[in-house]
Amino acid sequence: MSQPLAIVIALFPGVTQLDFTGPHQILCRLPGAKVTVASLAGGEIEADGLVFAHLPKLSDIDHCDVLIVPGGFGTTEAMGDRDFIAEIRRLADEARYVCSVCTGSLVLGAAGLLKGKRAACHWAWRDQLALFGAIPDPSRVARDGRYVTGGGVTAGIDFALTLVAELAGEDMAQTIQLAVEYAPAPPFDAGRPETAPEAVLRRVSALYGKAMDERVAAAKQAAEAM
């Protein structure tokens, strides 16, 4: 009997829940796959007011076929957490696919995994990928060899379907897409900075202001430590 496809989603404090719950909803429906959500310390992780409990420790996981790192405001601290970065490197070493959603690609960058690779990220933080020698890609989903990365938050669903198509074929990806009725038709064309009203873009950019300065500093420090 063949072993299940081992998919590991690595969480950290301050993670954005939809970054991983979106892909989890898709990937848990992939026949033959075992999806494990884990963190450095194990136990509980709070994400956007939701508590995810009974998580195993990353160090207790021997290997995985697919590694996924989501993003969130906690990315700033995660990039500088040497123990967390070490676990990401270890699991990525033998994984068939190394993946991220949103600013999770900055964590992959801090782990030294994206040098010379195209990678997607949330639009507000995408340029910081260059600090790690990566090539910022504005695509909803970017693929470069074994690296598959999704853009901001909701792009995690697109990423997961892309990954399913890679692992099990387009027919399976479309089957899961229909099963979850993923047929996005947003009420506003404001989901990208290129299409959002100028006032909306200014408002969101202002919200990220202080966090932007802190994350740039953390990214530069992580890049120097590589």
Side-chain angles (χ1 to χ4, degrees), residues 57-82:
K57 295 180 179 180
L58 288 168
S59 59
D60 290 337
I61 299 173
D62 291 334
H63 75 282
C64 62
D65 299 297
V66 178
L67 174 65
I68 303 171
V69 182
F73 285 108
T75 299
T76 302
E77 289 73 28
M79 287 189 293
D81 187 329
R82 294 184 179 181

Side-chain angles (χ1 to χ4, degrees):
M1 184 176 179
S2 60
Q3 293 294 316
L5 181 78
I7 301 174
V8 171
I9 303 176
L11 304 190
F12 50 84
V15 66
T16 293
Q17 64 87 8
L18 189 56
D19 280 11
F20 69 91
T21 54
H24 187 281
Q25 183 65 70
I26 300 299
L27 295 169
C28 73
R29 294 178 179 237
L30 177 62
K34 179 183 178 182
V35 185
T36 301
V37 181
S39 67
L40 184 63
E44 295 185 351
I45 283 282
E46 187 275 335
D48 298 320
L50 301 176
V51 177
F52 297 84
H54 309 298
L55 304 179
K57 295 180 179 180
L58 288 168
S59 59
D60 290 337
I61 299 173
D62 291 334
H63 75 282
C64 62
D65 299 297
V66 178
L67 174 65
I68 303 171
V69 182
F73 285 108
T75 299
T76 302
E77 289 73 28
M79 287 189 293
D81 187 329
R82 294 184 179 181
D83 292 334
F84 182 72
I85 292 297
E87 289 299 329
I88 296 302
R89 287 196 189 108
R90 179 182 67 82
L91 290 170
D93 187 48
E94 296 184 0
R96 287 172 54 192
Y97 296 96
V98 179
C99 311
S100 65
V101 176
C102 198
T103 54
S105 56
L106 295 178
V107 174
L108 296 183
L113 298 170
L114 294 180
K115 293 179 181 178
K117 303 294 183 181
R118 290 185 301 104
C121 189
H122 187 289
W123 62 267
W125 321 94
R126 188 189 305 134
D127 290 347
Q128 295 176 26
L129 284 167
L131 294 171
F132 302 109
I135 304 167
D137 191 319
S139 302
R140 187 83 168 158
V141 181
R143 168 75 189 275
D144 195 331
R146 70 185 185 120
Y147 297 93
V148 187
T149 53
V153 190
T154 60
I157 298 175
D158 300 64
F159 147 76
L161 289 169
T162 300
L163 184 62
V164 169
E166 181 71 23
L167 293 167
E170 291 186 3
D171 183 70
M172 178 57 67
Q174 292 178 49
T175 298
I176 295 174
Q177 180 179 359
L178 178 57
V180 300
E181 197 176 348
Y182 180 56
F188 310 106
D189 190 15
R192 301 279 292 188
E194 298 86 0
T195 61
E198 185 176 344
V200 172
L201 178 58
R202 286 200 305 268
R203 189 178 305 124
V204 174
S205 297
L207 289 173
Y208 291 152
K210 182 180 179 181
M212 180 68 71
D213 294 339
E214 293 174 349
R215 185 165 295 172
V216 168
K220 288 181 178 178
Q221 186 174 4
E224 292 171 358
M226 284 168 49

